[in-house]
Amino acid sequence: MLGLDNIEKVKPGGLELKDRLVSVNRVTKVTKGGRAFGFSAIVVVGDEAGTVGFGLGKSKEVASAIAKAVEDAKKNLVKVPVVNHTIPHQTSARYGGADIFLRPATHGTGVIAGGTVRMVVEAAGIKDILSKSKGSSNPHNVVKATFKALLDIRRPEEIAKLRGISLDKVFNG
């Protein structure tokens, strides 16, 4: 999806996925016979338990563009580490002109995020997070930057195994 190695792909079978429409864009193609209108939609789907994906759909009608986007999103599902309804550590990522910063938050903080980032993290099942979106507010690039940031996150167990230390030592030094 975004060229990262540690991605854990997920099959959509058996998952109860909820889809969220991020953006619908009307595009115009000027032809000899006049203007031809079309629509492109970007959708985020997730099970609100760590599995999330996004997709893009294009069509002459809005409804079929959204349907195509949902099907595309189901093909691109990935697993995101969620620990105690937040992320294990802070991360940031850049995609195109969009720059996203994500930081874990304590229980009860809620989702402090703008519209596009909020949709992605809520679909992933993250309930407490702080975020900042800098640069471009283009929904396509913001969604891709948020995914890139979420996929850069490593699980504490993975870090402990990599360093050859106990899980307790990862948190307490």
Side-chain angles (χ1 to χ4, degrees):
M1 181 174 14
L2 292 170
L4 297 162
D5 313 331
N6 61 338
I7 298 174
E8 189 184 328
K9 286 265 189 184
V10 179
K11 298 274 188 255
L15 292 175
E16 206 171 298
L17 299 169
K18 293 180 182 168
D19 52 276
R20 297 159 194 260
L21 178 64
V22 177
S23 162
V24 175
N25 195 19
R26 189 180 83 170
V27 291
T28 310
K29 178 181 177 183
V30 180
T31 60
K32 186 170 64 178
R35 294 184 182 101
F37 295 105
F39 295 91
S40 78
I42 188 161
V43 171
V44 173
V45 298
D47 66 349
E48 296 180 354
T51 303
V52 67
F54 75 92
L56 178 66
K58 297 177 182 180
S59 180
K60 295 286 180 198
E61 292 98 33
V62 176
S64 58
I66 293 169
K68 286 179 183 182
V70 169
E71 288 307 306
D72 188 38
K74 287 179 182 176
K75 292 176 192 169
N76 296 316
L77 288 174
V78 291
K79 197 85 176 134
V80 172
V82 179
V83 180
N84 297 330
H85 302 294
T86 189
I87 55 177
H89 60 84
Q90 77 180 35
T91 183
S92 63
R94 187 171 179 87
Y95 191 93
D99 202 353
I100 301 296
F101 172 76
L102 301 174
R103 174 182 278 168
T106 57
H107 181 70
T109 304
V111 178
I112 311 295
T116 309
V117 178
R118 175 180 292 270
M119 287 181 196
V120 176
V121 297
E122 284 179 349
I126 299 169
K127 292 183 174 52
D128 301 302
I129 194 166
L130 302 166
S131 78
K132 181 66 185 164
S133 174
K134 296 172 279 203
S136 171
S137 60
N138 177 341
H140 294 270
N141 287 343
V142 172
V143 166
K144 290 173 185 173
T146 307
F147 265 83
K148 198 172 173 186
L150 289 173
L151 294 172
D152 279 345
I153 297 172
R154 297 190 305 178
R155 290 177 170 75
E157 300 83 26
E158 186 185 325
I159 293 169
K161 192 173 140 188
L162 200 70
R163 293 183 190 169
I165 57 175
S166 70
L167 190 62
D168 198 41
K169 204 160 185 171
V170 170
F171 290 109
N172 302 329

